[in-house]
Amino acid sequence: MARRATSYKVGWLGFTAVVVAGLVGLVMFQPWTTNAESNSSTQTQFAADRPKPVQPVEFDGKRAMEYLEAICKIGPRISGSEGMRKQKELIEAHFTKLGGKVSYQRFTAQQKSRKKPVEMANMIISYHSERTRRVILCAHYDTRPIADQEPNPRRWEEPFLSANDGGSGVAFLMEMAHHMKDLELSVGVDFVLFDGEEYIFDPKRDEYFFGSKHFGKEYLKNRKKMTYTGAILLDMIAGKGATFPIEQNSWMYASRLCKEVWDIAAELKCTAFEEKLSPYSVEDDHLPLNRAGIPAIDIIDFDYPHWHRLTDLPKNCSPEPMIQVAKVCSVWLQRAR
Ligand SMILES: [Zn+2]
């Protein structure tokens, strides 16, 4: 995760978020409950409109944790570093072996606080690459150079493994890759791993989201050839006891997609997904996607106590929330049109 703010601290974006999301939330949440109740009483009448019954995947949480440990064993995976190079090698081989088509969007980024530019690359793993209607599951795969929530600033530059923040999304998609062949899909699917989300040395001055901004720009160039109908961003999904209330910017920019996803979670009794608006908004990789016209939401846990600390380690992560995210995402992918 890049930047978290309670809504009143983030300028117009957050202010609008709290006003709009709060109002819309108030209006929407009540009918939402009513709809769920009335659905059961009008089941026969509207059977044709009901979502197709599809099975969630049998996500192997133990294997996902092994992937998380393997990634962290590389060490920090900072953009442009040797660790990032090793990670790319490991996961490219993994996704290719399991039938994904791997490609890169390479670009050069100049960070304000750095003298030299750095080579970055988003990794895209495609399924049914010929299909022009597509959806995205995405996460960032770079790690932050400094652990700047560590209480002692003298420790900020120690090697920071960032297991949940940067590792969990990668490990999750590595496990999901085993199940892609079993899904009944009407659309193409891209797993997108963004580079340069956390390439921050000076949190006040530096630029965030190099990878997702580049991805949005490239998408706008290719708009006529294909369409992304939705994107789910996964950030910090493996913290022990993680919960996922609806992040405010997701609700503001892509409320329909939020409703789809949290409705699926309710159907599947995935209780980590809380049907309420989070008190937080976050600037994250979903914002550049929304700006490029892709409805995009962020599934994110705001209460992880090891965020941007050296203790963000696999031992403080758990497979349980990832299993719930996998159930929800796999049903969403199969219902996508
Ligand atoms: Zn972060």
Side-chain angles (χ1 to χ4, degrees):
M1 173 186 8
R3 260 192 300 213
R4 162 178 63 176
T6 46
S7 49
Y8 54 84
K9 282 185 188 162
V10 288
W12 73 269
L13 198 65
F15 178 72
T16 319
V18 79
V19 174
V20 175
L23 288 174
V24 176
L26 274 177
V27 177
M28 293 295 291
F29 274 88
Q30 199 55 43
W32 189 334
T33 321
T34 318
N35 281 346
E37 284 159 4
S38 66
N39 270 356
S40 54
S41 60
T42 54
Q43 207 164 348
T44 322
Q45 193 179 352
F46 296 113
D49 299 330
R50 288 172 69 78
K52 197 176 145 200
V54 287
Q55 288 303 312
V57 292
E58 296 277 340
F59 186 88
D60 186 335
K62 189 169 164 272
R63 190 165 56 188
M65 288 301 292
E66 286 164 10
Y67 291 142
L68 182 59
E69 275 167 33
I71 299 163
C72 288
K73 220 171 152 192
I74 294 171
R77 286 92 61 211
I78 301 161
S79 300
S81 71
E82 181 59 14
M84 176 52 100
R85 193 194 61 73
K86 282 186 186 156
Q87 171 175 241
K88 276 189 202 138
E89 209 176 85
L90 176 93
I91 64 180
E92 181 185 327
H94 173 87
F95 286 118
T96 306
K97 191 180 80 191
L98 293 173
K101 191 178 152 198
V102 177
S103 61
Y104 291 95
Q105 275 183 341
R106 298 180 201 278
F107 59 99
T108 306
Q110 175 64 60
Q111 185 54 281
K112 289 175 187 149
S113 64
R114 312 300 284 173
K115 284 201 184 99
K116 284 190 185 157
V118 62
E119 296 304 315
M120 295 190 185
N122 296 326
M123 184 187 278
I124 305 175
I125 303 105
S126 298
Y127 300 90
H128 304 287
S129 54
E130 75 292 352
R131 293 183 183 167
T132 53
R133 282 181 74 79
R134 312 189 63 76
V135 294
I136 297 173
L137 294 183
C138 52
H140 71 91
Y141 71 150
D142 63 314
T143 60
R144 198 170 176 94
I146 48 166
D148 56 335
Q149 293 291 317
E150 195 56 51
N152 180 356
R154 267 179 290 182
R155 300 196 61 199
W156 285 11
E157 294 193 21
E158 287 180 27
F160 173 37
L161 296 185
S162 222
N164 194 20
D165 188 3
S168 65
V170 180
F172 174 89
L173 292 174
M174 287 173 81
E175 172 54 27
M176 276 298 283
H178 287 275
H179 307 280
M180 291 306 287
K181 62 181 185 317
D182 304 324
L183 299 183
E184 278 189 50
L185 297 167
S186 310
V187 292
V189 176
D190 290 323
F191 294 169
V192 183
L193 294 169
F194 296 120
D195 205 343
E197 195 259 2
E198 298 264 31
Y199 192 65
I200 301 297
F201 300 83
D202 179 347
K204 287 202 182 105
R205 242 175 96 214
D206 277 351
E207 185 177 337
Y208 289 81
F209 318 123
F210 286 104
S212 51
K213 285 178 186 164
H214 181 79
F215 185 87
K217 253 189 256 166
E218 290 299 303
Y219 175 59
L220 289 173
K221 281 189 216 159
N222 292 305
R223 224 21 254 267
K224 286 195 183 124
K225 290 186 217 145
M226 51 85 70
T227 307
Y228 283 123
T229 60
I232 298 182
L233 173 65
L234 307 164
D235 202 354
M236 318 235 293
I237 53 166
K240 281 184 183 159
T243 55
F244 309 113
I246 302 171
E247 184 271 327
Q248 291 192 6
N249 284 329
S250 305
W251 183 250
M252 185 164 76
Y253 293 108
S255 56
R256 211 165 84 177
L257 181 51
C258 288
K259 189 168 170 356
E260 260 174 56
V261 167
W262 268 262
D263 275 353
I264 292 171
E267 260 175 69
L268 299 174
K269 301 191 169 46
C270 291
T271 51
F273 288 73
E274 297 179 338
E275 266 182 274
K276 64 175 191 191
L277 205 57
S278 164
Y280 297 109
S281 66
V282 69
E283 292 184 34
D284 207 342
D285 285 319
H286 61 323
L287 297 187
L289 301 190
N290 276 299
R291 284 186 198 117
I294 306 168
I297 62 166
D298 196 0
I299 295 178
I300 182 165
D301 171 27
F302 287 108
D303 296 324
Y304 185 59
H306 309 283
W307 176 59
H308 293 182
R309 289 187 174 191
L310 299 172
T311 49
D312 184 2
L313 297 168
K315 69 173 185 190
N316 289 317
C317 295
S318 142
E320 303 306 328
M322 288 196 281
I323 292 169
Q324 292 200 24
V325 173
K327 283 184 183 167
V328 173
C329 287
S330 60
V331 168
W332 176 73
L333 288 176
Q334 294 177 91
R335 284 190 190 159
R337 292 290 176 272

